[in-house]
Amino acid sequence: DKNVEFIPKNFPELKNDRLLRAALGKEVDKVPVWVMRQAGRYLPEFQEVRAKHDFFTVCRTPELACEVTLQPLRRYPHLDASIIFSDILVIPQALGMTVEMHPGVGPVFPSPLQDPSEIDNLKEEGAVDRLLYVGKAITLTRHKIEGKVPLIGFTGAPFTLMGYMIEGGGSKTMSKTKEWLEKYPKDVHKLLSLLTRVIIDYLIMQVESGAQLLQVFESSADHLNRDQFIEFSAPYLKDIRSGVKNKIEAKNLEQVPMTVFAKGGGPYLDIQTGLGYDTIGLDWTVDPEEARKIVGDNFTLQGNLDPQDLYKTPEEITKMTIEMVQKFGKKRYIANLGHGITPQTPLESMKAFTVAVHEAL
Ligand code: CP3
């Protein structure tokens, strides 16, 4: 019966719970491993799907999003998690903005926010209803994954999303966004609060649909100095964590572990320990042993091989990965890259990386 796959009930029993155990600080037999952007452009089978369908069509079609989510698991049986295929920019879309994905360029907003008065044009009401397709993809994938590994849901963090909405796409300098931070702090906080409200309800919808762990991507934290991180990022990350926890409890759902990944947030690890997350993601600029000293024993660390290291030989990747895992140790650790895998990465690199993690300790 095809319809049963769209109901978030009677999911197959989870057979590999290493990721969830590590996130919660429980003992594991092996270090769990997954890779940011593991469902994506380095895979020829993904390219085949993309040749036939526009990026956001894949996101909006549960069968296609599910297929693409499962692709890396077929090729790399050592992966201990899946992450639902979608994008952080589906939230600005749900708020009424147009976002296009231009091949070779990345995301493009034809009409970015040009002035704080435009914040009032954003359609907060019904935003999560317009994202129900993500929930449908999660539910379908939870059924099709047959309990092999847990399914991760995700969102962009408020500051990162605001940056894209103002810049109209990726930006090396974030000059417009920084101008807003200086000139219009009140409006900036209004927009970050709006995004935070939507994100909390979006994540709750993902949990109700079957997401087993949630990751919040603050991918643009590398643009923020310490005072800016304290003012424009940390409070909202904290509100998202506590908001999700409180709403899960109020709805009598099962709690899910949460990960914060602030790219460039290495200098602010002390602040990140105060945000309430179970796992803190690290980019490759952070030394594993230094990070452990700062965060202590009550957090799981995730990361952090440089994605560029996957362009080395399988032998070198194996060696570097084993060294990394040995530095982090088996306790409260999830192996990953320090940022997303890049498009030209050789297929055998992922194999070398995932196998080495399991064999390292
Ligand atoms: O991790 C996964 O495999 C799940 C899917 C996923 C995608 N984007 C698919 C994608 C996830 C978790 C994201 C998150 C995302 N999207 C982030 C945060 C993570 C990070 O890398 O910092 C950000 C900043 C975006 C916005 C975005 N989407 C950019 C900047 C780009 C272009 C650059 C790039 O790396 O490709 C995208 C496009 C995108 N998102 C692709 C995929 C597979 C490639 C687009 C294509 O197929 O044409």
Side-chain angles (χ1 to χ4, degrees):
D1 181 2
K2 199 162 183 285
N3 285 330
V4 81
E5 289 166 350
F6 283 104
I7 301 168
K9 277 200 290 205
N10 304 323
F11 289 130
E13 195 191 330
L14 183 61
K15 293 170 211 139
N16 173 353
D17 63 351
R18 268 178 208 132
L19 176 89
L20 303 182
R21 293 183 66 84
L24 295 170
K26 297 180 187 168
E27 250 180 62
V28 288
D29 60 336
K30 284 177 183 159
V31 169
V33 59
W34 69 282
V35 168
M36 289 186 275
R37 301 282 185 104
Q38 67 186 24
R41 289 182 298 178
Y42 69 104
L43 288 175
E45 54 271 36
F46 173 76
Q47 294 294 7
E48 258 176 61
V49 174
R50 279 287 279 117
K52 285 186 237 147
H53 309 277
D54 163 77
F55 178 81
F56 286 111
T57 303
V58 181
C59 295
R60 288 170 179 275
T61 313
E63 289 78 9
L64 293 175
C66 171
E67 162 60 21
V68 168
T69 301
L70 297 178
Q71 284 174 347
L73 298 176
R74 291 188 199 117
R75 206 181 260 273
Y76 306 108
H78 285 265
L79 284 171
D80 293 304
S82 55
I83 179 162
I84 191 65
F85 186 82
S86 182
D87 199 85
I88 63 166
L89 301 177
V90 298
I91 290 184
Q93 282 180 337
L95 294 172
M97 298 185 80
T98 300
V99 187
E100 296 157 2
M101 197 60 77
H102 293 188
V105 177
V108 174
F109 292 61
S111 312
L113 297 178
Q114 284 185 307
D115 180 273
S117 67
E118 294 178 10
I119 296 171
D120 292 331
N121 300 339
L122 296 172
K123 298 184 183 71
E124 178 175 357
E125 207 186 303
V128 174
D129 294 333
R130 291 187 284 279
L131 291 166
L132 284 174
Y133 64 87
V134 178
K136 288 193 176 135
I138 287 173
T139 303
L140 177 65
T141 306
R142 262 295 291 277
H143 284 289
K144 294 273 178 177
I145 219 163
E146 296 169 336
K148 282 185 187 121
V149 292
L151 180 59
I152 302 171
F154 70 91
T155 181
F159 175 74
T160 295
L161 292 179
M162 181 180 77
Y164 278 97
M165 291 160 73
I166 295 172
E167 303 292 336
S171 164
K172 284 218 159 65
T173 58
M174 296 276 269
S175 55
K176 297 194 182 94
T177 305
K178 287 186 173 173
E179 200 183 325
W180 279 50
L181 301 187
E182 295 277 325
K183 270 190 167 164
Y184 319 118
K186 257 198 180 157
D187 300 291
V188 162
H189 283 296
K190 183 169 131 186
L191 176 50
L192 293 171
S193 301
L194 182 159
L195 287 165
T196 299
R197 290 190 297 273
V198 172
I199 286 167
I200 291 169
D201 288 338
Y202 177 46
L203 290 177
I204 292 293
M205 184 271 281
Q206 293 189 31
V207 171
E208 289 178 317
S209 303
Q212 290 157 291
L213 183 151
L214 300 170
Q215 176 154 324
V216 181
F217 285 93
E218 188 71 288
S219 302
S220 303
D222 50 0
H223 290 279
L224 297 174
N225 69 29
R226 191 172 177 89
D227 287 343
Q228 291 168 329
F229 186 76
I230 289 172
E231 180 172 355
F232 300 111
S233 175
Y236 300 99
L237 290 170
K238 191 173 178 182
D239 286 354
I240 289 168
R241 182 50 177 131
S242 59
V244 168
K245 200 175 252 173
N246 294 340
K247 286 206 176 178
I248 287 182
E249 192 170 289
K251 290 190 168 224
N252 258 317
L253 303 167
E254 226 183 294
Q255 288 294 340
V256 296
M258 284 181 70
T259 301
V260 60
F261 173 64
K263 171 144 194 298
Y268 319 135
L269 282 176
D270 56 328
I271 302 169
Q272 293 192 54
T273 58
L275 305 178
Y277 289 78
D278 307 274
T279 300
I280 298 174
L282 307 174
D283 66 40
W284 65 91
T285 64
V286 183
D287 178 74
E289 286 156 342
E290 290 296 320
R292 181 54 76 194
K293 262 190 235 156
I294 295 167
V295 309
D297 296 328
N298 294 327
F299 296 90
T300 300
L301 293 173
Q302 175 173 280
N304 69 346
L305 194 78
D306 186 340
Q308 292 305 314
D309 288 333
L310 294 189
Y311 289 89
K312 297 182 174 171
T313 65
E315 292 73 29
E316 284 174 301
I317 293 167
T318 300
K319 186 166 166 278
M320 295 185 79
T321 304
I322 289 173
E323 278 169 17
M324 171 184 82
V325 173
Q326 287 176 345
K327 271 191 155 188
F328 276 107
K330 214 180 207 174
K331 264 201 198 145
R332 297 216 77 153
Y333 173 51
I334 297 164
N336 204 310
L337 302 180
H339 198 198
I341 186 168
T342 60
Q344 316 300 331
T345 302
L347 291 168
E348 64 261 30
S349 296
M350 266 288 271
K351 176 149 190 270
F353 178 67
T354 55
V355 170
V357 169
H358 282 180
E359 289 178 352
L361 293 175

